[in-house]
Amino acid sequence: MVKTENGQAFNARIKGIFKIDEITSTNPVAVGDEVEIEAENETENTAIITDIHERKNYIARTTPHRTWQRHIVASNVDQSLLFATLKEPRTSQGFIDRFLVACEAYHVPAIIVFNKADIYRKKELQQFEDFKSMYEAIGYKVLLTSMKENKGIDELKNLLQNKTTLISGHSGVGKSTFINAIIPELMLRTKDVSGWSGKGMHTTTFAEMFDLPLSGRIIDTPGLREFGLTDISKQELSHYFPEMRERLNNCQFNNCIHINEPGCAVKKAVEEEEIFPERYISYCNILESIEERNY
Ligand SMILES: Nc1nc2c(ncn2[C@@H]2O[C@H](COP(=O)(O)OP(=O)(O)OP(=O)(O)O)[C@@H](O)[C@H]2O)c(=O)[nH]1
Ligand SMILES: [Mg+2]
Ligand SMILES: [Zn+2]
C-alpha cells in the first residue's frame, strides 16, 4: 500500500523489472520506501510502482529456513525501538544483542524498551536493572514501560517526535499495544484478553507505517522469533559492538577477531572487566553463527 503526499492510499504492485532483486531479497519493495507510482485505476485506487528512490538506509535480516535470502525489515528509518520483555515472553540477551548488531551495521540508532513492568517481580526487576546499567554503559538508551499501567509511555512518545521509528521484537511483547496507546484511533489488532499464550502466534502479520499525531512516523512489524544477521562477516563483527569498536586499534594484529590472538585489546578489556563478559559471550556466539561465504 502506497500513501501519496496528499494522504491518498493506493493498492500498488511493482513492475516486472524490479523483480530482478528477488534472488537475494524476498521483498524488492519494503515498508519505508519512497516510490514513484502511476495510477492504474482511479476508481479502485490501484497503481503501479515505477521507481524506488534510493534508500537512505535500511535494516535487513535473513529469512527463516532460507538463510541465503535477505528480507528488508524497513527502509529510511531514523531509529529503532527494540521491544523486549523479561516475562511472557522472555527476551534473551542473545536476541537483544543480535538486534543491536544489526542496528549498528546499518547505522540506525537503537533504543531498548522493557515492557510489561506490571508483571515483573523482584527477580525480573533486578534483571532489568542489570540490563539497564550494562546497555547504558555501552551507550544505548534503556526504558521500562507498562502499557497496562500507563508507565513510561509519555517518555517514549517524546523520543518519537519528528522521526521515523521502527518497532521490532518478539511476538507478544506489546508493540501494537504501544502504537494503539499513542495513536488510539488506529485500533490495531493486538492479542486478546488471554494475553501471552506461549504459543508464538503472531497478531501483526505485515509491516505497516503510521503517521504520529503531531509529527513523525512509526512502523509496526510482525514479531520475530530470532533475528538472523546478514551482510556481516566474522572479521567486521566487533565493529558493531561499540565497546569493542573503540578498542580495536589497540589489538596487536589488525585482523584480530578477539578469540585466540596474542596482544588482543578486547580480551584484555574483558579480563579487566571493562567489557561486560555477557557481551563478550554474545560476541562469541554470534561469531560462531556467522557462516563465511566463499565468494
Ligand atoms: N501485563 C501487560 N500486558 C501487556 C502489556 N503490553 C501489552 N500487553 C499484552 O500483551 C499481549 C500482546 O500484545 P501485542 O501488542 O499484540 O504484541 P505484539 O508485540 O504486537 O505482538 P505481534 O503482533 O504478534 O508481534 C496483549 O494481550 C496485550 O494486552 C503490558 O505492559 N503489561
Ligand atoms: Mg503486533
Ligand atoms: Zn583483538
Side-chain angles (χ1 to χ4, degrees):
M1 185 173 281
V2 175
K3 192 172 177 184
T4 62
E5 277 165 339
N6 59 23
Q8 200 182 346
F10 283 90
N11 282 315
R13 56 196 180 87
I14 47 176
K15 235 161 121 179
I17 52 164
F18 297 114
K19 294 193 174 168
I20 296 163
D21 190 37
E22 240 174 16
I23 312 146
T24 50
S25 164
T26 50
N27 54 337
V29 60
V31 64
D33 276 343
E34 287 182 9
V35 299
E36 297 290 326
I37 56 167
E38 271 170 19
E40 198 179 23
N41 184 326
E42 288 279 6
T43 50
E44 287 174 21
N45 281 332
T46 56
I48 293 172
I49 295 172
T50 55
D51 194 18
I52 303 172
H53 293 193
E54 204 182 315
R55 293 172 179 139
K56 188 183 75 183
N57 66 9
Y58 59 84
I59 289 186
R61 62 173 176 84
T62 60
T63 34
H65 312 301
R66 314 178 83 195
T67 49
W68 65 91
Q69 272 195 331
R70 55 214 282 284
H71 181 83
I72 312 286
V73 179
S75 71
N76 302 317
V77 296
D78 297 310
Q79 62 184 3
S80 65
L81 282 187
L82 175 61
F83 256 60
T85 45
L86 295 173
K87 223 178 154 179
E88 300 181 11
R90 190 181 153 69
T91 306
S92 69
Q93 193 197 326
F95 181 85
I96 296 173
D97 288 337
R98 279 174 174 272
F99 185 81
L100 294 177
V101 163
C103 292
E104 294 289 336
Y106 300 112
H107 306 289
V108 175
I111 299 167
I112 311 167
V113 178
F114 287 92
N115 186 34
K116 304 200 183 183
D118 55 286
I119 57 168
Y120 294 1
R121 301 185 66 170
K122 219 172 158 190
K123 186 180 97 191
E124 289 82 18
L125 287 171
Q126 185 55 51
Q127 282 169 349
F128 166 76
E129 291 302 332
D130 293 345
F131 275 136
K132 183 180 161 78
S133 47
M134 177 170 79
Y135 287 115
E136 284 187 343
I138 304 163
Y140 296 106
K141 199 180 257 302
V142 180
L143 268 69
L144 182 64
T145 62
S146 165
M147 299 306 137
K148 202 172 177 181
E149 295 181 341
N150 195 8
K151 178 184 154 65
I153 298 178
D154 283 340
E155 191 187 350
L156 187 49
K157 198 169 139 184
N158 288 337
L159 297 173
L160 309 182
Q161 294 310 318
N162 299 313
K163 292 191 172 126
T164 297
T165 304
L166 164 74
I167 300 199
S168 191
H170 287 317
S171 186
V173 295
K175 300 180 294 296
S176 302
T177 306
F178 168 63
I179 297 179
N180 279 337
I182 57 171
I183 323 175
E185 64 270 26
L186 278 183
M187 294 189 282
L188 295 178
R189 221 157 72 77
T190 58
K191 199 151 282 178
D192 58 25
V193 275
S194 59
W196 185 74
S197 67
K199 290 264 158 61
M201 273 281 289
H202 296 237
T203 308
T204 303
T205 52
F206 56 91
E208 195 170 358
M209 179 152 82
F210 305 102
D211 290 319
L212 292 167
L214 295 173
S215 65
R217 299 180 177 121
I218 192 146
I219 300 170
D220 193 13
T221 58
L224 297 174
R225 200 178 287 274
E226 47 188 314
F227 198 97
L229 294 169
T230 177
D231 309 322
I232 295 169
S233 69
K234 285 184 189 255
Q235 191 60 62
E236 64 187 329
L237 179 62
S238 57
H239 291 76
Y240 307 132
F241 281 74
E243 71 274 48
M244 296 186 187
R245 182 166 60 216
E246 64 184 33
R247 293 177 163 92
L248 298 178
N249 286 338
N250 301 329
C251 288
Q252 189 177 333
F253 298 101
N254 64 8
N255 61 350
C256 188
I257 57 165
H258 327 297
I259 298 292
N260 290 318
E261 297 88 341
C264 172
V266 169
K267 285 190 73 177
K268 183 165 170 277
V270 176
E271 277 154 25
E272 291 174 357
E273 296 181 6
E274 285 168 8
I275 285 179
F276 290 90
E278 295 88 345
R279 287 275 290 173
Y280 182 69
I281 291 168
S282 267
Y283 170 79
C284 295
N285 289 338
I286 297 172
L287 191 74
E288 209 170 295
S289 73
I290 294 176
E291 286 180 30
E292 294 288 21
R293 263 188 251 169
N294 298 313
Y295 291 99

